[in-house]
Amino acid sequence: MTRETILHPTRRSLLAGGAAALTAAALPRYAQAQSSEPIRLGFQLHRTGIGAAYGRWYERTALAALKVVNEAGGIAGRPVEILFEDDATDPRRGAEVVEKLATQARVDLIFGPLFSHVVIGSAPRAGELKIPYLVCSEGYHVASGKLNRWTLQPGITDVRAQVTAMAPFVTENLGKKVTMIFPDYAFGHDHRDFFTEAVAAQGGEVIAQIAIPPTETSFTRYFPRIPRDTEVLYHVMVGPAVLTFVKELGEFYGSGAKPEIFGFIDSLEAVDIASPGLEFLEGSHFWEGQCRMLQPDASEAETFYRDAVGVDANGAAIEDPNNVSCYGHMFSVWETLFAIKEGMEACGWRGPQDRQAFVEAVEAFTDMPAGRERPQGAKVFNAKLHQAFGHQFITKLEGGKLVKVHETSIEDSLYESDVDYTAMSF
Amino acid sequence: MEFGPFLLLAVMEGLVGAAVLALTASGLSLVFGVMRVVNVAHGEFFMLGAVAAWFVSQWVPGPPGLAFAVALVACPLLVAGLAALADGLVLKRLAYEPEATIIATIGLLYILQQAALSLYGPEARPVPPPFEARLQLPWFGWSGYKLFVIGAAGAVLAGLWLLLSRSRIGLVMRATQVDRETATAFGIDVDRVYAATFALGAGLAAIAAVLIVPIQQAHYLMGGDPLLLSFIVVVIGGLGSLRGTLVAALLIGLSDGVISTFFEPTLAKILATLLVALVLVFRPQGLFGARA
């Protein structure tokens, strides 16, 4: 019983009003009906705006996970519905979407947003409305302690953990003088701050930091700022212009000498790595949240997940090899839905009155073993930080294929912090 | 990188920006000059050109060069036709009243943008360049296609200048620009001139977009920046003056390239906007504008 909808607030609120009137008239019957009533989850989706490529795949992943959950009996025996609402990848609209889902659509909780500026703009509203808000966002803003008790990130690791885990690989294998190129907003600043720190801890040095506005469409003019003695070029880029970014980087270096290149797969999410002009990336390394191309040692859970979402061995849609997925990130939607299921079942979810109990149940998570619920791999949940910690993958582009060359352990990604959400009030 | 090559790259990047900007802004300038209409939807005609080029690249088989050639002819014609339709359906009915047309073109902006979102989708899609060529200089490599963009834009602008100064259509347009009523008295069909001007303006934006889309990818929100920069250029150059528009486009495009390479792109935008403010205060008719 899935329902992919655009909300019809007036009709829905009318129905809700009607339902409330009926309930008042026949209270005993309602209590009995409640147990089989569907659980309604709100999904804050970047369907349009600069996050649209992610939105398309986050929706597809959510629907695939929903199908698996419902076929296995739903959550605590109740069927599950997801209501998708577009936030245009816009922080102000994001806060409105949270409000609309919570007060008009009356969903049980909200999940799904990715872009850090949208999450930072929307999470305060979720806190005010006291509705659980599970983000798939990667940024350090959750673990930093600047959000609230209602915002949780059980389905993907944060940037600080990612770069902490990977900096040793970069300095040991690629070089010690690093130039960073990153988008000029919260997500990019997390990279700038924590990677610089992590590289210094390894005896390396970040010799230049090049910030690029997230709406930029032309990049060549930034490249002359890359110092000539750069040994490793570290790039992470997002938005509709990522293909232009890597292409222009290739044109800039051309056949001349170039540094080692280490990129976050973000710079190539939803982009075919075999696109003309990207040949220069051959031999370069990538961080991937999950390996886009099917690896020989892939787990049963991963192949199950890949098939369920409809992704081929190259990371593209099975029906269209040109439609490349956001494979490095979209597992977070799947894993978050299963975390919601586990949290709701642990707290004996009845309805919105159990929202606080749900947050407390998620805070009680510790070990989150690998399996079909977590095809990306095992995770450990840190309740104080409201953040999951997990494995990271480094791949190398060899013969047009992204081949896994390193996997970090969960311990590699841990860092000291005195943030404690569990001590905050609801 | 040393100063010399650094400056060379900045100037080359600036020239690409200037070339595309000159095309887009001359369309805006023409529409204002002849029709006295401030076309806020101009950026969306630019976007439509790019989006149409993507569709052409999908539908026309054969080498990318062929699809590109088809796009370069068909897309501007299509966009021009759409603009002529908008002129007849909307602007003409408002009797080209300045305030009303501004509001109407704002409406047009949203209609075109949302139509593109509905029909084309929210993704940024690449259009293959007609040829893959790379210029390898001793210090850096550069896209050979960008050189083509500069050349092609120059050729189109030269053609536009010839059209306006030497052809009968240009004469009629200029006559309408100078005095609409007298032109009518001399038997010029002003309605047709207006429709043609609006179509030509939109077509110029579409040509600029087809040229730039192999570099930038087609996206439904891509019309915002060209609109803003075109307004800056047209205000600095003098509304309605083609010569002023070209000079200002070169000035703004080059300074944008150089300043954003050496400093920050944001600083380039700040300075351009400051220049607009200064021009408006000290020379409201623009650098080359004839009337206040």
Side-chain angles (χ1 to χ4, degrees), chain B residues 256-281:
Chain B
D256 187 64
V258 173
I259 295 169
S260 42
T261 309
F262 281 95
F263 304 99
E264 293 286 329
T266 320
L267 182 68
K269 295 261 186 330
I270 292 173
L271 290 179
T273 322
L274 184 69
L275 187 59
V276 168
L278 291 176
V279 165
L280 285 175
V281 172

Side-chain angles (χ1 to χ4, degrees), chain A residues 27-176:
Chain A
L27 205 60
R29 270 214 341 245
Y30 176 72
Q32 193 219 341
Q34 187 190 34
S35 57
S36 57
E37 203 192 351
I39 286 174
R40 290 149 54 81
L41 306 177
F43 197 112
Q44 183 183 346
L45 183 70
H46 305 323
R47 187 176 272 145
T48 58
I50 62 168
Y54 287 92
R56 187 173 78 230
W57 281 96
Y58 271 37
E59 183 170 8
R60 184 169 168 146
T61 309
L63 289 172
L66 182 68
K67 189 160 173 274
V68 172
V69 166
N70 276 330
E71 281 174 1
I75 294 178
R78 290 167 64 183
V80 185
E81 288 179 3
I82 297 181
L83 283 97
F84 294 94
E85 181 74 10
D86 178 26
D87 67 7
T89 328
D90 176 76
R92 197 181 54 180
R93 180 72 195 133
E96 289 166 7
V97 165
V98 166
E99 172 140 1
K100 188 173 175 182
L101 286 169
T103 60
Q104 291 183 16
R106 295 178 189 280
V107 298
D108 290 311
L109 54 77
I110 299 169
F111 74 118
L114 162 73
F115 273 62
S116 61
H117 61 311
V118 181
V119 168
I120 292 168
S122 313
R125 194 72 194 109
E128 285 161 11
L129 294 165
K130 300 189 186 300
I131 184 164
Y133 187 57
L134 293 93
V135 299
C136 304
S137 172
E138 242 195 343
Y140 177 61
H141 38 271
V142 178
S144 70
K146 74 165 104 159
L147 299 180
N148 53 59
R149 187 89 188 253
W150 297 92
T151 306
L152 302 142
Q153 187 155 258
I156 191 166
T157 58
D158 66 296
V159 168
R160 185 174 182 183
Q162 292 165 0
V163 300
T164 304
M166 287 180 311
F169 180 89
V170 173
T171 53
E172 282 161 26
N173 297 286
L174 304 179
K176 293 200 183 294

Side-chain angles (χ1 to χ4, degrees), chain A residues 47-49 52 56 213 216-218 220-222 224-225 228 240-244 247-248 250-256 276, chain B residues 1-2 6 9 13 117 122-124 126 132 134 136 140-143 146 215-217 219-221 256 260-261 263-265:
Chain A
R47 187 176 272 145
T48 58
R56 187 173 78 230
E216 184 60 273
T217 51
S218 170
T220 303
R221 53 198 185 193
Y222 296 90
R225 287 191 230 158
R228 191 167 268 190
V242 287
L243 178 61
T244 311
K247 267 190 169 173
E248 293 194 337
E251 276 159 4
F252 180 76
Y253 279 116
S255 51
Chain B
M1 197 182 276
E2 296 79 2
F6 204 151
L9 180 79
E13 283 290 303
L117 176 60
E123 290 87 21
E132 296 279 350
R134 226 172 40 73
Q136 182 68 49
F140 58 84
W142 209 55
S143 156
K146 286 184 180 173
I215 304 174
Q216 276 195 2
Q217 307 173 60
H219 188 241
Y220 78 104
L221 290 176
D256 187 64
S260 42
T261 309
F263 304 99
E264 293 286 329

Side-chain angles (χ1 to χ4, degrees), chain A residues 112-305:
Chain A
L114 162 73
F115 273 62
S116 61
H117 61 311
V118 181
V119 168
I120 292 168
S122 313
R125 194 72 194 109
E128 285 161 11
L129 294 165
K130 300 189 186 300
I131 184 164
Y133 187 57
L134 293 93
V135 299
C136 304
S137 172
E138 242 195 343
Y140 177 61
H141 38 271
V142 178
S144 70
K146 74 165 104 159
L147 299 180
N148 53 59
R149 187 89 188 253
W150 297 92
T151 306
L152 302 142
Q153 187 155 258
I156 191 166
T157 58
D158 66 296
V159 168
R160 185 174 182 183
Q162 292 165 0
V163 300
T164 304
M166 287 180 311
F169 180 89
V170 173
T171 53
E172 282 161 26
N173 297 286
L174 304 179
K176 293 200 183 294
K177 287 185 171 174
V178 185
T179 292
M180 300 181 69
I181 302 182
F182 52 87
D184 197 6
Y185 71 110
F187 169 70
H189 298 165
D190 289 346
H191 275 272
R192 178 193 64 194
D193 297 344
F194 297 116
F195 188 74
T196 303
E197 186 185 293
V199 164
Q202 297 295 321
E205 187 192 357
V206 172
I207 55 174
Q209 297 171 328
I210 303 172
I212 298 187
T215 51
E216 184 60 273
T217 51
S218 170
F219 303 89
T220 303
R221 53 198 185 193
Y222 296 90
F223 299 143
R225 287 191 230 158
I226 301 169
R228 191 167 268 190
D229 56 343
T230 298
E231 292 169 3
V232 185
L233 183 66
Y234 175 105
H235 65 90
V236 52
M237 197 52 56
V238 292
V242 287
L243 178 61
T244 311
F245 169 73
V246 275
K247 267 190 169 173
E248 293 194 337
L249 189 62
E251 276 159 4
F252 180 76
Y253 279 116
S255 51
K258 60 171 183 279
E260 292 283 348
I261 298 176
F262 183 89
F264 261 61
I265 197 68
D266 307 50
S267 300
L268 284 158
E269 280 292 51
V271 168
D272 187 352
I273 209 138
S275 303
L278 302 191
E279 300 80 8
F280 77 105
L281 288 172
E282 181 70 19
S284 74
H285 291 79
F286 287 94
W287 165 88
E288 295 194 78
Q290 186 169 19
C291 296
R292 174 190 294 185
M293 298 194 178
L294 189 65
Q295 304 295 318
D297 63 346
S299 66
E300 183 276 334
E302 174 168 359
T303 31
F304 173 78
Y305 159 79

Side-chain angles (χ1 to χ4, degrees), chain B residues 198-224:
Chain B
F198 203 63
L200 181 60
L204 284 168
I207 293 178
V210 176
L211 286 176
I212 204 71
V213 75
I215 304 174
Q216 276 195 2
Q217 307 173 60
H219 188 241
Y220 78 104
L221 290 176
M222 71 190 295

